[in-house]
Amino acid sequence: MLQEIQEMGSHAKDIYDFLLSGLDPRITDYPLMQSPITMTTILLGYLFFVLYLGPRLMANRKPFQLKEPMIVYNFLLVALSIFIVYEFLMSGWATTYTWRCDPVDTSNSPQALRMVQVAWLFWFSKIIELMDTIFFVLRKKHGQITFLHIFHHSFMPWTWWWGIAYAPGGMGSFHAMVNSSVHVVMYFYYGLSAAGPRFQKFLWWKKYMTAIQLIQFVLVSLHATQYYFMSSCDYQFPVILHLIWIYGTFFFVLFSNFWFQAYIKGKRLPKQCQNSTAVHTNGKYCENGNSVKNGTTNGVSHGVTNGSVHHENGSSYMGKMKKA
């Protein structure tokens, strides 16, 4: 029995060493890229905190008021996302790429190294974005910590680590550029939302955020689908394109369901509604138990500030709120 365990451990080590031997040598000098162990540990720690430790630490505490840190955080991510998009464009997508079959440039040319750098920066931005969920926990917005949110924030950085470790660039980086473009809009919206009620009139496009996400997944899946109809393509890592196609399609289904439930069927009602009282729960409020207005995305309350409920037209306020 002991010998079998030792043999299994030896085989596992051989597989691990084989996987590491295939890493792009240009990326291994970047932080957290020497092996997947550190990255995996960070993500496991994130899951432990947001699903177990954080809620228990906050159980008997009042929610933190993090308005200023959230404003700074969101607008910093806007700036970072703009920079990432620009670097992707200058590293190939607006210069030498065909937007069809674009292999990874494995040379040490300035443009190839620039692509390696922005690929790593995009991955690292996913680690920074784990703070989205930390803010939820500290503000006791537990209703926002959904399966969709957790899966997206943990699965994407884990898989993207392998993507840039083997293929920092080429047609597999298209979805990273598109995702960063979407995040420019998304975090700009969150930053304005966190800034307070005087900016509510600029947030009339709230419900289109999900539509933008859906367009993102369609573009990503269509771009990856090209590979299956090409007579030949020398992209070095087809498995990455398979995963991107699955990822884009899977999240299109999840976000489509969210759109249908939230805006078609209107089922995103709070679990607790009290008659004649506006109750804020899970980013929404119900009035007289039957109407829903101005929900919350990513833990930023739209139309709810300082205990008042903001009208959808951004011009007046309604009723006091109780905590759900």
Side-chain angles (χ1 to χ4, degrees):
M1 182 64 178
L2 180 60
Q3 184 178 358
E4 291 178 354
I5 294 176
Q6 290 176 340
E7 289 178 355
M8 291 176 60
S10 177
H11 289 317
K13 186 178 184 303
D14 291 340
I15 294 173
Y16 178 75
D17 292 338
F18 174 75
L19 290 173
L20 292 186
S21 67
L23 301 185
D24 191 312
R26 300 172 302 171
I27 200 74
T28 53
D29 290 335
Y30 283 84
L32 306 176
M33 294 305 300
Q34 289 69 43
S35 84
I37 294 177
T38 305
M39 170 271 299
T40 303
T41 302
I42 291 173
L43 294 176
L44 289 176
Y46 159 78
L47 291 174
F48 177 73
F49 179 81
V50 301
L51 295 177
Y52 180 80
L53 181 61
R56 279 156 182 75
L57 290 176
M58 294 299 298
N60 298 317
R61 291 180 170 86
K62 293 182 179 180
F64 286 97
Q65 301 301 317
L66 301 172
K67 177 181 177 180
E68 289 76 14
M70 288 179 63
I71 293 173
V72 173
Y73 167 77
N74 284 309
F75 282 113
L76 283 178
L77 280 177
V78 170
L80 178 60
S81 298
I82 291 174
F83 178 75
I84 290 174
V85 172
Y86 175 78
E87 286 297 298
F88 270 124
L89 290 171
M90 294 299 101
S91 300
W93 288 102
T95 54
T96 59
Y97 281 19
T98 66
W99 295 64
R100 288 182 56 77
C101 178
D102 295 300
V104 180
D105 184 349
T106 57
S107 72
N108 288 316
S109 68
Q111 182 165 291
L113 294 178
R114 191 174 184 177
M115 177 62 80
V116 172
Q117 177 179 293
V118 70
W120 177 84
L121 187 58
F122 172 78
W123 172 78
F124 189 70
S125 73
K126 302 299 115 181
I127 300 299
I128 297 174
E129 289 168 13
L130 298 179
M131 284 300 301
D132 290 358
T133 325
I134 305 301
F135 281 130
F136 288 164
V137 173
L138 296 180
R139 297 172 65 235
K140 302 185 77 168
K141 302 293 184 182
H142 304 307
Q144 299 297 325
I145 306 176
T146 62
F147 167 77
L148 176 59
H149 177 89
I150 291 293
F151 184 78
H152 180 71
H153 277 69
S154 57
F155 182 73
M156 185 171 183
W158 194 87
T159 54
W160 183 250
W161 187 95
W162 294 98
I164 66 168
Y166 285 95
M171 63 186 300
S173 64
F174 175 78
H175 81 287
M177 183 178 65
V178 173
N179 182 253
S180 295
S181 301
V182 171
H183 280 202
V184 172
V185 179
M186 188 176 73
Y187 283 104
F188 179 72
Y189 174 83
Y190 297 151
L192 287 181
S193 300
R198 65 183 181 277
F199 292 96
Q200 295 300 318
K201 61 184 178 181
F202 302 113
L203 300 178
W204 54 267
W205 42 284
K206 168 187 175 289
K207 76 173 186 177
Y208 298 108
M209 291 298 300
T210 305
I212 293 172
Q213 295 275 24
L214 291 173
I215 293 171
Q216 168 191 202
F217 299 128
V218 170
L219 291 175
V220 167
S221 295
L222 287 177
H223 182 265
T225 301
Q226 293 182 100
Y227 179 80
Y228 303 112
F229 296 94
M230 294 177 183
S231 57
S232 64
C233 180
D234 55 354
Y235 180 72
Q236 299 94 322
F237 301 96
V239 65
I240 292 178
L241 298 181
H242 304 331
L243 291 174
I244 289 173
W245 188 90
I246 293 171
Y247 184 89
T249 303
F250 178 69
F251 273 94
F252 178 81
V253 172
L254 288 181
F255 274 81
S256 295
N257 179 67
F258 172 85
W259 174 275
F260 182 75
Q261 298 296 333
Y263 300 114
I264 304 300
K265 299 186 72 173
K267 284 190 174 181
R268 291 181 61 80
L269 285 167
K271 293 180 180 179
Q272 298 173 349
C273 293
Q274 301 175 9
N275 289 335
S276 301
T277 304
V279 182
H280 182 273
T281 308
N282 193 21
K284 298 167 288 299
Y285 69 86
C286 59
E287 188 178 7
N288 296 327
N290 56 19
S291 66
V292 178
K293 302 177 183 177
N294 287 350
T296 297
T297 307
N298 203 26
V300 180
S301 180
H302 313 311
V304 181
T305 309
N306 296 330
S308 297
V309 182
H310 193 279
H311 277 295
E312 289 183 340
N313 61 14
S315 61
S316 59
Y317 294 91
M318 299 171 55
K320 295 289 183 180
M321 298 193 318
K322 291 182 179 180
K323 289 185 179 179

